[in-house]
Amino acid sequence: MKYTGWELKYFDSSSNFRKYQFSLIKEYIGEKILEVGPGSGNFANNFLIKIVKKLHLAEINKDLFEKLKSKFNYQNNVEVYSKKIGEIDTKFDSIFYFDVLEHIESHEEEIKIALTKLNKNGNLVIIVPAFNHLYSYYDKSIGHYRRYEKKFFQDFIKKNNLIKKKLHYFDSIGYFFLLLNKLIDMKSENRVSLGTIIWNFLCPISRVIDKLFFHKFGKSLICVIQNAE
């Protein structure tokens, strides 16, 4: 996976978006959870560490792994790995991928492996950037192989006889910001930074618009798959 530092900095500072994310996933948090690709650990530190019995973080980027170890060194309920999910010999109640799957070339294989690491009735929670027509210079610059449509997950779930718990788009305000970004081909980091600040400020409005339009579009897509085996 490729990280440039851009996305971590902007996502970590986007508190309103992070709160929205948490509101969508909180009902799927079990006692023993794994976050794959936690980056700087901002989401884990702000939303997960205080409410779970055991938190596992798997980060294969060596620099980020070292930072995570240092950050959570004194937390007894946190374990940090520098491993891919297939190399972890334990099972979890919940596994989270927050804006990570788009960085993985063999993404279907990654999902299949993740499902084998769930306890019975455990939940695989995936949040990814939505709509391929929004793919831009920004996506390419931070190592995104793709953006996602609902159909990808619908087909995957049907093909593998899985249980869908949730599947919808969200963050309509973010959608319009990314559409504008693509139209004007914004490549300056300063412009992206300013746009991120404005987007995060307006993000609470997305909650209202998303409900009014029944989550038909948005910057992001959430999929929750349950393991019934």
Side-chain angles (χ1 to χ4, degrees), residues 185-203:
D185 196 22
M186 190 180 294
K187 294 183 179 180
S188 165
E189 185 175 350
N190 289 333
R191 290 180 180 178
V192 173
S193 177
L194 177 60
T196 302
I197 293 170
I198 298 171
W199 156 68
N200 181 62
F201 178 75
L202 296 175
C203 195

Side-chain angles (χ1 to χ4, degrees), residues 53-100:
K53 187 174 182 179
K54 187 69 175 182
L55 173 61
H56 300 253
L57 305 174
E59 179 55 68
I60 61 173
N61 180 286
K62 298 300 182 183
D63 291 336
L64 294 174
F65 168 69
E66 293 298 332
K67 290 178 181 178
L68 288 168
K69 281 205 307 181
S70 177
K71 187 171 190 174
F72 295 104
N73 187 42
Y74 300 103
Q75 300 291 338
N76 294 327
N77 67 328
V78 180
E79 186 166 353
V80 182
Y81 306 97
S82 180
K83 297 179 179 180
K84 294 182 179 180
I85 190 168
E87 300 169 335
I88 300 173
D89 296 323
T90 188
K91 292 198 172 186
F92 305 93
D93 300 316
S94 312
I95 297 176
F96 298 137
Y97 284 78
F98 298 143
D99 294 286
V100 170

Side-chain angles (χ1 to χ4, degrees), residues 154 157 162-167 223-226:
Q154 289 168 338
I157 289 168
L162 301 170
I163 298 174
K164 179 189 72 177
K165 300 290 288 184
K166 179 180 287 189
L167 179 62
C223 178
V224 182
I225 304 171
Q226 186 180 66

Side-chain angles (χ1 to χ4, degrees), residues 23-223:
S23 73
L24 295 173
I25 64 97
K26 62 183 180 181
E27 65 183 292
Y28 304 107
I29 297 174
E31 290 189 352
K32 185 179 180 182
I33 71 173
L34 169 69
E35 184 181 353
V36 179
S40 65
N42 178 272
F43 190 90
N45 190 52
N46 290 333
F47 296 102
L48 300 178
I49 194 170
K50 296 178 181 179
I51 62 173
V52 300
K53 187 174 182 179
K54 187 69 175 182
L55 173 61
H56 300 253
L57 305 174
E59 179 55 68
I60 61 173
N61 180 286
K62 298 300 182 183
D63 291 336
L64 294 174
F65 168 69
E66 293 298 332
K67 290 178 181 178
L68 288 168
K69 281 205 307 181
S70 177
K71 187 171 190 174
F72 295 104
N73 187 42
Y74 300 103
Q75 300 291 338
N76 294 327
N77 67 328
V78 180
E79 186 166 353
V80 182
Y81 306 97
S82 180
K83 297 179 179 180
K84 294 182 179 180
I85 190 168
E87 300 169 335
I88 300 173
D89 296 323
T90 188
K91 292 198 172 186
F92 305 93
D93 300 316
S94 312
I95 297 176
F96 298 137
Y97 284 78
F98 298 143
D99 294 286
V100 170
L101 199 64
E102 65 274 15
H103 292 273
I104 301 173
E105 188 170 7
S106 303
H107 57 155
E108 289 195 41
E109 184 64 22
E110 181 80 11
I111 298 172
K112 290 176 182 178
I113 294 172
L115 288 167
T116 68
K117 301 297 180 178
L118 284 170
N119 290 321
K120 185 176 181 180
N121 298 322
N123 293 300
L124 175 60
V125 182
I126 300 170
I127 292 178
V128 289
F131 294 112
N132 281 311
H133 64 255
L134 292 178
Y135 191 92
S136 67
Y137 167 82
Y138 173 76
D139 290 283
K140 185 177 181 179
S141 72
I142 59 176
H144 289 181
Y145 284 101
R146 67 196 77 80
R147 300 181 71 89
Y148 289 83
E149 319 284 338
K150 283 173 63 175
K151 188 177 186 304
F152 167 78
F153 290 105
Q154 289 168 338
D155 290 347
F156 182 89
I157 289 168
K158 183 178 180 180
K159 181 171 61 177
N160 293 282
N161 297 312
L162 301 170
I163 298 174
K164 179 189 72 177
K165 300 290 288 184
K166 179 180 287 189
L167 179 62
H168 65 69
Y169 300 107
F170 70 100
D171 188 13
S172 46
I173 292 294
Y175 174 89
F176 289 117
F177 267 82
L178 286 185
L179 187 61
L180 177 63
N181 175 53
K182 180 158 187 181
L183 290 173
I184 64 177
D185 196 22
M186 190 180 294
K187 294 183 179 180
S188 165
E189 185 175 350
N190 289 333
R191 290 180 180 178
V192 173
S193 177
L194 177 60
T196 302
I197 293 170
I198 298 171
W199 156 68
N200 181 62
F201 178 75
L202 296 175
C203 195
I205 300 174
S206 281
R207 295 183 184 232
V208 178
I209 298 175
D210 290 350
K211 289 181 180 179
L212 286 175
F213 286 89
F214 303 101
H215 293 274
K216 295 296 184 182
F217 68 97
K219 176 184 74 64
S220 296
L221 173 62
I222 180 170
C223 178

